[in-house]
Coordinates of all heavy atoms in Angstrom, one line a residue:
A344 N 6.3 0.6 3.7 CA 5.3 -0.1 2.9 C 4.4 -1.0 3.7 O 4.9 -1.6 4.6 CB 5.9 -0.8 1.7
L345 N 3.2 -1.2 3.2 CA 2.3 -2.2 3.9 C 2.4 -3.5 3.1 O 3.0 -3.6 2.0 CB 0.9 -1.7 4.0 CG 0.7 -0.3 4.6 CD1 -0.8 -0.1 4.8 CD2 1.4 -0.2 5.9
M346 N 1.8 -4.6 3.7 CA 1.8 -5.9 3.1 C 0.5 -6.5 3.3 O -0.2 -6.2 4.3 CB 2.9 -6.8 3.6 CG 2.8 -7.1 5.0 SD 4.0 -8.3 5.6 CE 3.3 -9.8 4.9
I347 N 0.1 -7.4 2.5 CA -1.2 -8.2 2.6 C -0.8 -9.6 3.1 O 0.1 -10.3 2.5 CB -1.9 -8.2 1.3 CG1 -2.4 -6.8 1.0 CG2 -3.1 -9.1 1.4 CD1 -3.0 -6.6 -0.4
T348 N -1.5 -10.0 4.2 CA -1.2 -11.4 4.7 C -2.1 -12.4 4.0 O -3.0 -12.1 3.3 CB -1.4 -11.4 6.2 OG1 -2.8 -11.4 6.5 CG2 -0.7 -10.3 6.9
D349 N -1.8 -13.7 4.4 CA -2.6 -14.8 3.8 C -4.0 -14.9 4.3 O -4.7 -15.8 4.0 CB -1.8 -16.1 3.9 CG -1.6 -16.5 5.4 OD1 -2.1 -15.8 6.3 OD2 -0.9 -17.5 5.6
E350 N -4.3 -13.9 5.2 CA -5.7 -13.9 5.7 C -6.6 -13.2 4.6 O -7.9 -13.1 4.8 CB -5.8 -13.1 7.0 CG -5.3 -14.0 8.2 CD -5.1 -13.1 9.4 OE1 -6.1 -12.7 10.0 OE2 -3.9 -12.9 9.7
C351 N -6.0 -12.6 3.6 CA -6.8 -12.0 2.5 C -7.8 -12.9 1.9 O -7.5 -14.1 1.6 CB -5.8 -11.5 1.5 SG -6.5 -10.9 0.0
I352 N -9.0 -12.4 1.8 CA -10.1 -13.2 1.2 C -10.4 -12.8 -0.3 O -11.4 -13.2 -0.8 CB -11.4 -13.1 2.0 CG1 -11.8 -11.6 2.2 CG2 -11.2 -13.7 3.4 CD1 -13.2 -11.4 2.8
N353 N -9.5 -12.1 -0.9 CA -9.6 -11.8 -2.3 C -10.9 -11.1 -2.6 O -11.5 -11.4 -3.6 CB -9.4 -13.0 -3.2 CG -8.0 -13.6 -3.1 OD1 -7.1 -12.9 -2.8 ND2 -7.9 -14.9 -3.3
C354 N -11.3 -10.1 -1.8 CA -12.6 -9.5 -2.0 C -12.5 -8.4 -3.0 O -13.5 -7.8 -3.4 CB -13.1 -8.9 -0.7 SG -12.2 -7.5 -0.1
D355 N -11.3 -8.0 -3.4 CA -11.1 -7.0 -4.5 C -11.3 -5.5 -4.1 O -11.2 -4.7 -5.0 CB -12.0 -7.2 -5.7 CG -11.9 -8.7 -6.3 OD1 -10.9 -9.3 -6.0 OD2 -12.9 -9.1 -6.9
V356 N -11.8 -5.2 -2.9 CA -12.1 -3.8 -2.7 C -11.0 -2.9 -2.5 O -11.1 -1.7 -2.8 CB -13.1 -3.6 -1.5 CG1 -14.4 -4.5 -1.7 CG2 -12.4 -3.9 -0.2
C357 N -9.8 -3.4 -2.1 CA -8.7 -2.5 -1.9 C -8.0 -2.0 -3.2 O -7.5 -0.9 -3.3 CB -7.6 -3.2 -1.0 SG -7.0 -4.7 -1.6
E358 N -7.9 -2.9 -4.1 CA -7.2 -2.7 -5.3 C -7.5 -1.3 -6.0 O -6.6 -0.5 -6.3 CB -7.3 -3.8 -6.3 CG -6.3 -3.9 -7.4 CD -7.0 -3.5 -8.7 OE1 -8.0 -4.1 -9.0 OE2 -6.4 -2.7 -9.5
P359 N -8.8 -1.1 -6.3 CA -9.1 0.2 -6.9 C -9.0 1.4 -6.0 O -8.9 2.6 -6.5 CB -10.6 0.1 -7.3 CG -11.1 -1.0 -6.4 CD -10.0 -1.9 -6.1
E360 N -8.8 1.3 -4.7 CA -8.7 2.4 -3.8 C -7.2 2.9 -3.7 O -7.0 4.0 -3.2 CB -9.1 2.0 -2.4 CG -10.6 1.6 -2.3 CD -11.5 2.7 -2.7 OE1 -11.2 3.9 -2.4 OE2 -12.6 2.4 -3.3
C361 N -6.3 2.1 -4.2 CA -4.9 2.5 -4.0 C -4.5 3.6 -5.0 O -4.6 3.5 -6.2 CB -4.0 1.3 -4.3 SG -2.2 1.8 -4.1
P362 N -4.1 4.8 -4.5 CA -3.7 5.9 -5.4 C -2.4 5.7 -6.1 O -2.1 6.5 -7.0 CB -3.6 7.1 -4.4 CG -3.1 6.4 -3.1 CD -3.8 5.1 -3.1
N363 N -1.7 4.7 -5.8 CA -0.4 4.4 -6.4 C -0.4 3.1 -7.3 O 0.7 2.7 -7.7 CB 0.7 4.3 -5.3 CG 0.9 5.6 -4.6 OD1 1.0 6.6 -5.2 ND2 1.1 5.5 -3.3
Q364 N -1.5 2.5 -7.5 CA -1.6 1.3 -8.2 C -0.5 0.3 -7.7 O 0.2 -0.4 -8.5 CB -1.3 1.5 -9.7 CG -2.5 2.2 -10.5 CD -2.5 3.7 -10.2 OE1 -1.5 4.3 -10.4 NE2 -3.6 4.3 -9.8
A365 N -0.5 0.2 -6.4 CA 0.5 -0.7 -5.8 C -0.1 -2.1 -5.5 O 0.7 -3.0 -5.2 CB 1.0 -0.1 -4.4
I366 N -1.4 -2.3 -5.6 CA -2.0 -3.5 -5.3 C -2.4 -4.3 -6.5 O -3.0 -3.7 -7.5 CB -3.3 -3.3 -4.4 CG1 -2.9 -2.4 -3.2 CG2 -3.9 -4.6 -4.0 CD1 -4.2 -2.0 -2.3
S367 N -2.1 -5.6 -6.5 CA -2.5 -6.4 -7.7 C -2.7 -7.8 -7.2 O -2.3 -8.2 -6.1 CB -1.4 -6.4 -8.7 OG -0.2 -7.0 -8.2
M368 N -3.4 -8.6 -8.0 CA -3.6 -10.0 -7.6 C -2.3 -10.8 -7.7 O -1.7 -10.7 -8.7 CB -4.7 -10.6 -8.6 CG -5.2 -12.0 -8.2 SD -5.9 -12.0 -6.5 CE -5.9 -13.8 -6.2
G369 N -2.0 -11.5 -6.7 CA -0.8 -12.4 -6.7 C -1.2 -13.8 -7.0 O -2.2 -14.1 -7.5
A370 N -0.3 -14.7 -6.7 CA -0.5 -16.1 -7.0 C -1.7 -16.7 -6.3 O -2.5 -17.4 -6.8 CB 0.8 -16.9 -6.7
E371 N -1.9 -16.3 -5.0 CA -3.0 -16.8 -4.2 C -3.9 -15.8 -3.6 O -5.1 -16.0 -3.4 CB -2.4 -17.7 -3.0 CG -1.7 -18.9 -3.5 CD -1.1 -19.7 -2.3 OE1 -1.8 -20.0 -1.4 OE2 0.1 -19.8 -2.3
F372 N -3.3 -14.6 -3.3 CA -4.1 -13.5 -2.8 C -3.5 -12.2 -3.3 O -2.4 -12.2 -3.9 CB -4.3 -13.6 -1.3 CG -3.0 -13.9 -0.6 CD1 -2.1 -12.8 -0.2 CD2 -2.6 -15.2 -0.3 CE1 -0.9 -13.1 0.5 CE2 -1.4 -15.4 0.4 CZ -0.5 -14.4 0.8
Y373 N -4.1 -11.1 -2.9 CA -3.6 -9.8 -3.3 C -2.3 -9.5 -2.7 O -2.0 -9.9 -1.6 CB -4.7 -8.7 -3.0 CG -5.7 -8.6 -4.1 CD1 -6.8 -9.5 -4.1 CD2 -5.6 -7.7 -5.1 CE1 -7.7 -9.4 -5.1 CE2 -6.5 -7.6 -6.1 CZ -7.6 -8.5 -6.1 OH -8.5 -8.4 -7.1
V374 N -1.5 -8.7 -3.5 CA -0.1 -8.4 -3.0 C 0.1 -6.9 -3.2 O -0.6 -6.2 -4.0 CB 1.0 -9.1 -3.7 CG1 0.9 -10.6 -3.4 CG2 0.9 -8.9 -5.2
I375 N 1.0 -6.3 -2.4 CA 1.3 -4.9 -2.5 C 2.8 -4.8 -2.9 O 3.7 -5.5 -2.4 CB 1.2 -4.2 -1.1 CG1 -0.3 -4.1 -0.7 CG2 1.8 -2.8 -1.1 CD1 -0.6 -3.6 0.7
D376 N 3.0 -4.0 -4.0 CA 4.4 -3.8 -4.4 C 5.0 -2.7 -3.5 O 4.6 -1.6 -3.5 CB 4.3 -3.2 -5.9 CG 5.7 -2.9 -6.4 OD1 6.7 -3.0 -5.6 OD2 5.8 -2.6 -7.6
P377 N 6.0 -3.1 -2.7 CA 6.6 -2.2 -1.7 C 7.2 -0.9 -2.4 O 7.4 0.1 -1.8 CB 7.6 -3.0 -1.0 CG 7.8 -4.2 -1.7 CD 6.7 -4.4 -2.6
K378 N 7.6 -1.1 -3.7 CA 8.2 0.0 -4.4 C 7.2 1.1 -4.7 O 7.5 2.3 -5.0 CB 8.9 -0.4 -5.7 CG 10.1 -1.3 -5.4 CD 10.9 -1.4 -6.7 CE 11.4 -2.8 -7.0 NZ 10.3 -3.9 -7.1
R379 N 5.9 0.7 -4.7 CA 4.9 1.7 -5.1 C 4.0 2.1 -3.9 O 3.2 3.1 -4.0 CB 3.9 1.1 -6.2 CG 4.6 0.8 -7.5 CD 3.7 0.6 -8.6 NE 2.9 1.8 -8.9 CZ 3.3 2.7 -9.8 NH1 4.5 2.5 -10.4 NH2 2.6 3.8 -10.0
C380 N 4.1 1.4 -2.8 CA 3.3 1.8 -1.6 C 3.9 2.9 -0.8 O 5.0 2.7 -0.2 CB 3.0 0.5 -0.7 SG 2.1 0.9 0.8
T381 N 3.3 4.0 -0.7 CA 3.7 5.1 0.1 C 3.0 5.2 1.5 O 3.0 6.2 2.2 CB 3.5 6.5 -0.6 OG1 2.1 6.7 -0.7 CG2 4.2 6.5 -1.9
E382 N 2.2 4.1 1.8 CA 1.3 4.1 2.9 C 0.3 5.2 2.8 O -0.2 5.7 3.8 CB 2.1 4.1 4.3 CG 3.1 2.9 4.4 CD 4.0 2.9 5.6 OE1 3.6 3.5 6.6 OE2 5.0 2.2 5.6
C383 N 0.1 5.6 1.6 CA -0.8 6.7 1.2 C -0.3 8.1 1.5 O -1.0 9.1 1.3 CB -2.2 6.5 1.7 SG -3.1 5.2 0.7
V384 N 1.0 8.2 2.0 CA 1.6 9.5 2.2 C 1.6 10.2 0.9 O 1.9 9.7 -0.2 CB 3.0 9.3 2.8 CG1 3.7 10.7 2.7 CG2 2.9 8.8 4.2
G385 N 1.2 11.5 0.9 CA 1.1 12.3 -0.3 C -0.3 12.4 -0.9 O -0.6 13.3 -1.6
H386 N -1.1 11.4 -0.6 CA -2.4 11.3 -1.1 C -3.5 11.5 -0.1 O -4.5 12.2 -0.2 CB -2.7 10.0 -1.9 CG -1.9 9.8 -3.1 ND1 -2.2 10.4 -4.3 CD2 -0.7 9.1 -3.4 CE1 -1.3 10.1 -5.2 NE2 -0.4 9.3 -4.7
F387 N -3.4 10.7 1.0 CA -4.4 10.6 2.0 C -3.8 10.6 3.4 O -2.6 10.2 3.6 CB -5.3 9.4 1.9 CG -6.0 9.3 0.5 CD1 -5.5 8.5 -0.5 CD2 -7.2 10.1 0.3 CE1 -6.2 8.4 -1.7 CE2 -7.8 10.0 -0.9 CZ -7.3 9.2 -1.9
D388 N -4.6 10.9 4.4 CA -4.1 10.9 5.8 C -4.0 9.4 6.3 O -3.2 9.2 7.2 CB -5.0 11.6 6.7 CG -5.0 13.1 6.5 OD1 -3.9 13.6 5.9 OD2 -5.9 13.8 6.8
E389 N -4.8 8.6 5.8 CA -4.8 7.2 6.3 C -4.6 6.2 5.1 O -5.1 6.5 4.0 CB -6.2 6.9 6.9 CG -6.5 7.7 8.1 CD -5.7 7.3 9.3 OE1 -5.2 6.2 9.4 OE2 -5.6 8.2 10.2
P390 N -4.0 5.1 5.3 CA -3.9 4.1 4.2 C -5.3 3.7 3.8 O -6.0 3.1 4.5 CB -3.1 2.9 4.9 CG -2.4 3.6 6.0 CD -3.3 4.7 6.5
Q391 N -5.5 3.9 2.5 CA -6.9 3.6 2.0 C -7.2 2.1 2.0 O -8.3 1.7 2.2 CB -7.0 4.2 0.6 CG -6.8 5.7 0.5 CD -7.9 6.4 1.4 OE1 -9.1 6.4 1.0 NE2 -7.5 7.0 2.5
C392 N -6.2 1.3 1.7 CA -6.5 -0.1 1.7 C -6.9 -0.7 3.0 O -7.8 -1.5 3.2 CB -5.3 -0.9 1.1 SG -3.7 -0.6 2.0
V393 N -6.2 -0.1 4.1 CA -6.5 -0.5 5.5 C -8.0 -0.1 5.8 O -8.7 -0.8 6.5 CB -5.5 0.1 6.4 CG1 -5.9 -0.2 7.9 CG2 -4.1 -0.5 6.2
Q394 N -8.3 1.1 5.3 CA -9.7 1.6 5.6 C -10.8 0.7 5.1 O -11.8 0.5 5.7 CB -9.8 3.0 5.0 CG -8.9 4.0 5.5 CD -9.2 4.6 6.8 OE1 -10.4 5.1 7.0 NE2 -8.3 4.6 7.7
V395 N -10.5 0.1 3.9 CA -11.6 -0.7 3.3 C -11.5 -2.2 3.5 O -12.5 -2.9 3.3 CB -11.7 -0.4 1.8 CG1 -12.0 1.1 1.5 CG2 -10.4 -0.8 1.0
C396 N -10.4 -2.7 4.0 CA -10.2 -4.1 4.1 C -11.2 -4.7 5.2 O -11.1 -4.3 6.3 CB -8.8 -4.5 4.4 SG -8.5 -6.3 4.6
P397 N -12.0 -5.6 4.8 CA -13.0 -6.1 5.8 C -12.4 -7.1 6.8 O -13.0 -7.4 7.8 CB -14.0 -6.8 4.9 CG -13.3 -7.3 3.7 CD -12.2 -6.2 3.5
V398 N -11.2 -7.6 6.5 CA -10.6 -8.6 7.5 C -9.3 -8.1 8.1 O -8.6 -8.9 8.8 CB -10.4 -10.0 6.7 CG1 -11.7 -10.6 6.3 CG2 -9.5 -9.8 5.5
S399 N -9.0 -6.8 8.0 CA -7.8 -6.3 8.6 C -6.5 -7.1 8.4 O -5.9 -7.5 9.4 CB -8.1 -6.1 10.1 OG -9.2 -5.3 10.3
C400 N -6.2 -7.4 7.2 CA -5.0 -8.2 6.9 C -3.9 -7.4 6.2 O -3.1 -8.0 5.5 CB -5.4 -9.4 6.1 SG -6.0 -9.0 4.4
I401 N -3.8 -6.1 6.5 CA -2.8 -5.3 5.9 C -1.9 -4.5 6.9 O -2.1 -3.4 7.2 CB -3.4 -4.3 4.9 CG1 -4.6 -4.9 4.1 CG2 -2.4 -3.7 4.0 CD1 -5.2 -4.0 3.0
P402 N -0.9 -5.2 7.4 CA 0.0 -4.6 8.4 C 1.2 -3.9 7.7 O 1.3 -4.0 6.5 CB 0.5 -5.8 9.2 CG 0.5 -6.9 8.2 CD -0.6 -6.7 7.3
I403 N 2.0 -3.3 8.5 CA 3.3 -2.7 8.0 C 4.2 -3.9 7.6 O 4.3 -4.9 8.3 CB 4.0 -1.9 9.1 CG1 3.1 -0.8 9.5 CG2 5.4 -1.4 8.6 CD1 3.5 0.6 9.2
H404 N 4.8 -3.8 6.5 CA 5.8 -4.8 6.0 C 7.0 -4.7 6.9 O 7.7 -3.7 6.9 CB 6.2 -4.6 4.6 CG 6.8 -5.8 4.0 ND1 7.9 -6.5 4.5 CD2 6.5 -6.5 2.8 CE1 8.2 -7.5 3.8 NE2 7.4 -7.6 2.7
P405 N 7.4 -5.8 7.7 CA 8.5 -5.7 8.6 C 9.8 -5.5 7.9 O 10.8 -5.0 8.6 CB 8.5 -7.1 9.4 CG 7.6 -8.0 8.5 CD 6.7 -7.1 7.8
E406 N 9.9 -5.8 6.7 CA 11.2 -5.6 6.0 C 11.2 -4.3 5.2 O 12.1 -4.0 4.5 CB 11.5 -6.7 5.0 CG 12.0 -8.0 5.7 CD 11.7 -9.2 4.9 OE1 11.8 -9.2 3.6 OE2 11.5 -10.3 5.5
H407 N 10.1 -3.5 5.3 CA 10.0 -2.2 4.6 C 9.5 -1.2 5.5 O 8.5 -0.5 5.3 CB 9.1 -2.4 3.4 CG 9.7 -3.3 2.3 ND1 10.7 -2.9 1.4 CD2 9.4 -4.6 2.0 CE1 11.0 -3.9 0.6 NE2 10.3 -4.9 1.0
I408 N 10.2 -1.0 6.7 CA 9.8 0.0 7.6 C 10.4 1.3 7.1 O 11.6 1.4 6.8 CB 10.4 -0.2 9.0 CG1 10.1 -1.6 9.5 CG2 10.0 0.9 10.0 CD1 8.9 -1.8 10.2
E409 N 9.6 2.4 6.9 CA 10.0 3.6 6.3 C 9.5 4.8 7.1 O 8.5 4.7 7.7 CB 9.5 3.7 4.9 CG 10.1 2.7 3.9 CD 9.2 2.4 2.8 OE1 8.1 1.8 3.0 OE2 9.5 2.7 1.7
T410 N 10.3 5.9 7.1 CA 9.9 7.1 7.8 C 8.9 7.8 6.9 O 8.9 7.6 5.7 CB 11.1 8.0 8.1 OG1 11.6 8.4 6.8 CG2 12.2 7.3 8.9
R411 N 8.2 8.8 7.5 CA 7.3 9.6 6.7 C 8.1 10.3 5.6 O 7.6 10.5 4.5 CB 6.6 10.6 7.6 CG 5.4 11.1 7.1 CD 4.7 12.1 7.9 NE 3.7 12.8 7.1 CZ 2.6 12.4 6.7 NH1 2.1 11.2 7.2 NH2 1.8 13.0 5.9
E412 N 9.3 10.8 5.9 CA 10.1 11.4 4.9 C 10.5 10.5 3.7 O 10.4 10.9 2.6 CB 11.4 11.9 5.6 CG 11.9 13.3 5.3 CD 12.9 13.8 6.2 OE1 13.9 13.0 6.5 OE2 12.8 14.9 6.7
Q413 N 10.8 9.3 4.0 CA 11.2 8.4 3.0 C 9.9 8.1 2.1 O 10.0 8.0 0.9 CB 11.7 7.0 3.6 CG 13.1 7.2 4.2 CD 13.5 5.9 4.9 OE1 12.7 5.3 5.7 NE2 14.7 5.4 4.6
L414 N 8.8 8.0 2.8 CA 7.5 7.7 2.1 C 7.2 8.9 1.2 O 6.7 8.7 0.0 CB 6.4 7.4 3.0 CG 6.6 6.1 3.8 CD1 5.6 6.1 5.0 CD2 6.3 4.9 2.9
M415 N 7.4 10.1 1.6 CA 7.2 11.3 0.8 C 8.1 11.3 -0.4 O 7.7 11.7 -1.5 CB 7.3 12.5 1.7 CG 6.9 13.8 1.1 SD 5.3 13.8 0.3 CE 4.3 14.4 1.7
M416 N 9.4 10.9 -0.2 CA 10.3 10.9 -1.3 C 9.9 9.9 -2.3 O 10.0 10.1 -3.5 CB 11.7 10.5 -0.8 CG 12.5 11.7 -0.3 SD 14.0 11.2 0.6 CE 14.9 10.4 -0.7
K417 N 9.3 8.7 -1.9 CA 8.8 7.7 -2.8 C 7.6 8.3 -3.6 O 7.5 8.1 -4.8 CB 8.4 6.5 -2.0 CG 8.1 5.3 -2.9 CD 7.5 4.1 -2.2 CE 8.4 3.6 -1.1 NZ 7.7 2.4 -0.4
Y418 N 6.8 9.0 -2.9 CA 5.6 9.7 -3.5 C 6.1 10.6 -4.6 O 5.6 10.5 -5.7 CB 4.8 10.4 -2.4 CG 3.8 11.4 -3.0 CD1 2.6 11.0 -3.6 CD2 4.1 12.8 -3.0 CE1 1.7 11.9 -4.1 CE2 3.2 13.7 -3.5 CZ 2.0 13.2 -4.1 OH 1.2 14.1 -4.6
E419 N 7.1 11.4 -4.3 CA 7.6 12.4 -5.3 C 8.1 11.7 -6.5 O 8.0 12.1 -7.6 CB 8.7 13.3 -4.7 CG 8.2 14.2 -3.5 CD 7.4 15.4 -4.0 OE1 7.4 15.6 -5.2 OE2 6.8 16.0 -3.1
R420 N 8.9 10.6 -6.2 CA 9.5 9.8 -7.3 C 8.4 9.2 -8.2 O 8.5 9.2 -9.4 CB 10.3 8.7 -6.7 CG 11.5 8.3 -7.5 CD 12.5 7.5 -6.7 NE 12.0 6.4 -6.0 CZ 12.1 6.2 -4.6 NH1 12.8 7.1 -3.9 NH2 11.6 5.2 -4.0
L421 N 7.3 8.7 -7.6 CA 6.3 8.0 -8.3 C 5.5 9.1 -9.2 O 5.0 8.8 -10.2 CB 5.3 7.3 -7.4 CG 5.8 6.0 -6.8 CD1 4.8 5.6 -5.7 CD2 5.9 4.9 -7.8
Q422 N 5.5 10.3 -8.7 CA 4.8 11.4 -9.4 C 5.7 11.9 -10.5 O 5.3 12.8 -11.3 CB 4.5 12.6 -8.4 CG 3.6 12.2 -7.3 CD 2.2 11.9 -7.8 OE1 1.5 12.6 -8.5 NE2 1.7 10.7 -7.4
G423 N 7.0 11.5 -10.5 CA 7.9 12.0 -11.5 C 8.4 13.3 -11.3 O 8.9 14.0 -12.1
R424 N 8.4 13.7 -10.0 CA 8.9 15.0 -9.6 C 10.3 15.0 -9.0 O 10.8 16.0 -8.6 CB 7.9 15.7 -8.6 CG 6.6 16.1 -9.2 CD 5.8 16.8 -8.2 NE 4.4 16.7 -8.4 CZ 3.5 16.6 -7.4 NH1 3.9 16.7 -6.2 NH2 2.2 16.5 -7.7
A425 N 10.8 13.8 -8.7 CA 12.1 13.8 -8.1 C 13.0 12.7 -8.8 O 12.4 11.9 -9.5 CB 12.0 13.5 -6.6
Ligands
SF4_1240 FE1 -1.8 1.7 -1.8 FE2 -2.0 3.3 0.2 FE3 -2.5 0.7 0.6 FE4 0.0 1.5 0.1 S1 -1.3 2.0 1.9 S2 -1.1 -0.2 -0.9 S3 -0.3 3.2 -1.2 S4 -3.7 2.1 -0.7
SF4_1241 FE1 -7.6 -8.9 0.6 FE2 -8.3 -7.0 2.3 FE3 -7.7 -6.4 -0.2 FE4 -10.0 -7.7 0.3 S1 -9.5 -5.6 1.0 S2 -8.6 -8.1 -1.3 S3 -9.3 -9.0 2.0 S4 -6.3 -7.3 1.3

């Protein structure tokens, strides 16, 4: 899963781009729910939030390093297929 750092400027552009509704406004800036972020696996070739973020503040979450297989399983689960 990816995460949003405190460099986020709350520009709102990433939230509607997420195919998994993983992004929401947090206490101070936008946050990603690691349970819903598949790094866009299953939907797109590239993480859509990273593509649109103007300040490049969306790295991989160091506590949620996942393989492509694990991300695909999460995608299937979110789709209700597994
Ligand atoms: Fe959503 Fe994809 Fe960004 Fe994860 S990488 S938060 S699934 S847009
Ligand atoms: Fe924050 Fe980047 Fe999302 Fe804008 S696109 S709200 S700066 S994480």
